[in-house]
Amino acid sequence: EVQLVESGGGLVQPGGSLRLSCAASGFTFSSYWMHWVRQAPGKGLVWVSRVNSDESSTTYADSVKGRFTISRDNAKNTLYLQMNSLRAEDTAVYYCAREYSGYDYWFDPWGQGTLVTVSS
Amino acid sequence: QSALTQPASVSGSPGQSITISCTGTSNDVGSYNLVSWYQRHPGKAPKLMIYDVSKRPSGVSNRFSGSKSGNTASLTISGLQAEDEADYYCCSYASSTTSYVVFGGGTKLTVL
């Protein structure tokens, strides 16, 4: 079964850091582009970041550029999101998602999400 | 404010058909056949229902269909079933933004 499972969310103070992980199984992880998408409470989905299959290219939403870093370990079938200088507005459920092929612009599957709460 | 506009809620009775709209601009929905739709039940992972405006992934019921006219994409669910009650999100490539894709704000479907 193709599956993505996020972990690493929690409560963190403003200005703090957190690293999210997304464990992939059931497919050849190293062949796919991967993404992070988030949803703040009561809001819609927002794309956060993307990494290509060999980590040679990454892109970020303007709102997180310079603070978040996406990475992957293809040997461990795991995607990461290092989040620094966290702000209250970063509070959200964070989902990892697989893009079928580069520049397809659709995602399947998604993980169930991990909640990040930034609050003092 | 989401980039794509969806109605906050729609409802229908079992067996009926409903349509959820997703309105964008000529920089996204109107110019590219790169619209996808996702279903999300509470606490569950979003699930791809439609991609490339009207293509249905393997395993998705043929009661789900997608279309586009101008700057508005639509998701139609026919023969409504109780299990269709969920949140639905549209998504599109957008040339006018540095964001890889843009999403709608989501529509809550209630099966009466």
Side-chain angles (χ1 to χ4, degrees), chain B residues 17-100:
Chain B
S17 294
I18 64 95
T19 296
I20 300 172
S21 61
C22 170
T23 302
T25 69
S26 58
N27 292 318
D28 39 65
V29 174
S31 294
Y32 305 95
N33 291 326
L34 295 170
V35 177
S36 53
W37 289 89
Y38 303 90
Q39 174 194 66
R40 196 192 66 189
H41 289 106
K44 296 291 186 66
K47 177 185 177 183
L48 175 70
M49 305 304 286
I50 296 288
Y51 66 98
D52 293 351
V53 175
S54 60
K55 296 177 181 178
R56 199 170 44 248
S58 173
V60 171
S61 170
N62 59 9
R63 297 184 299 104
F64 291 83
S65 62
S67 62
K68 188 183 83 167
S69 177
N71 295 337
T72 299
S74 299
L75 174 70
T76 298
I77 308 174
S78 60
L80 267 182
Q81 299 180 0
E83 69 235 39
D84 299 332
E85 184 163 296
D87 294 324
Y88 291 85
Y89 296 88
C90 62
C91 174
S92 175
Y93 168 75
S95 62
S96 59
T97 173
T98 54
S99 183
Y100 193 74

Side-chain angles (χ1 to χ4, degrees), chain A residues 33 35 37 39 43-47 50 59-60 62 65 95 99 101-108 110-112, chain B residues 1-2 34 36 38 40 43-48 50-52 57 89 91-93 98-101 103-106:
Chain A
W33 290 20
H35 297 254
V37 177
Q39 183 170 31
K43 304 290 187 181
L45 296 167
V46 175
W47 174 84
R50 175 229 98 192
T59 56
Y60 299 91
D62 288 344
K65 200 172 296 182
Y95 299 96
E99 185 173 8
S101 182
Y103 301 116
D104 271 350
Y105 302 102
W106 50 271
F107 310 111
D108 179 51
W110 298 55
Q112 288 190 301
Chain B
Q1 192 83 7
S2 297
L34 295 170
S36 53
Y38 303 90
R40 196 192 66 189
K44 296 291 186 66
K47 177 185 177 183
L48 175 70
I50 296 288
Y51 66 98
D52 293 351
Y89 296 88
C91 174
S92 175
Y93 168 75
T98 54
S99 183
Y100 193 74
V101 293
F103 288 93

Side-chain angles (χ1 to χ4, degrees), chain A:
Chain A
E1 179 191 6
V2 176
Q3 192 172 18
L4 298 171
V5 178
E6 301 95 337
S7 61
L11 175 64
V12 60
Q13 292 188 337
S17 297
L18 211 56
R19 189 177 83 154
L20 306 184
S21 299
C22 169
S25 59
F27 64 99
T28 306
F29 179 72
S30 60
S31 296
Y32 293 89
W33 290 20
M34 296 296 297
H35 297 254
W36 288 98
V37 177
R38 69 184 181 184
Q39 183 170 31
K43 304 290 187 181
L45 296 167
V46 175
W47 174 84
V48 173
S49 183
R50 175 229 98 192
V51 61
N52 68 347
S53 55
D54 64 3
E55 208 178 357
S56 61
S57 174
T58 59
T59 56
Y60 299 91
D62 288 344
S63 58
V64 307
K65 200 172 296 182
R67 301 188 298 122
F68 289 12
T69 302
I70 191 171
S71 63
R72 63 192 297 161
D73 185 334
N74 287 340
K76 294 183 177 179
N77 293 335
T78 302
L79 174 73
Y80 302 102
L81 186 67
Q82 177 67 44
M83 303 185 295
N84 299 331
S85 302
L86 281 162
R87 308 166 179 166
E89 54 264 37
D90 295 319
T91 294
V93 174
Y94 285 74
Y95 299 96
C96 62
R98 182 187 75 173
E99 185 173 8
Y100 184 76
S101 182
Y103 301 116
D104 271 350
Y105 302 102
W106 50 271
F107 310 111
D108 179 51
W110 298 55
Q112 288 190 301
T114 186
L115 176 62
V116 172
T117 302
V118 184
S119 174
S120 56

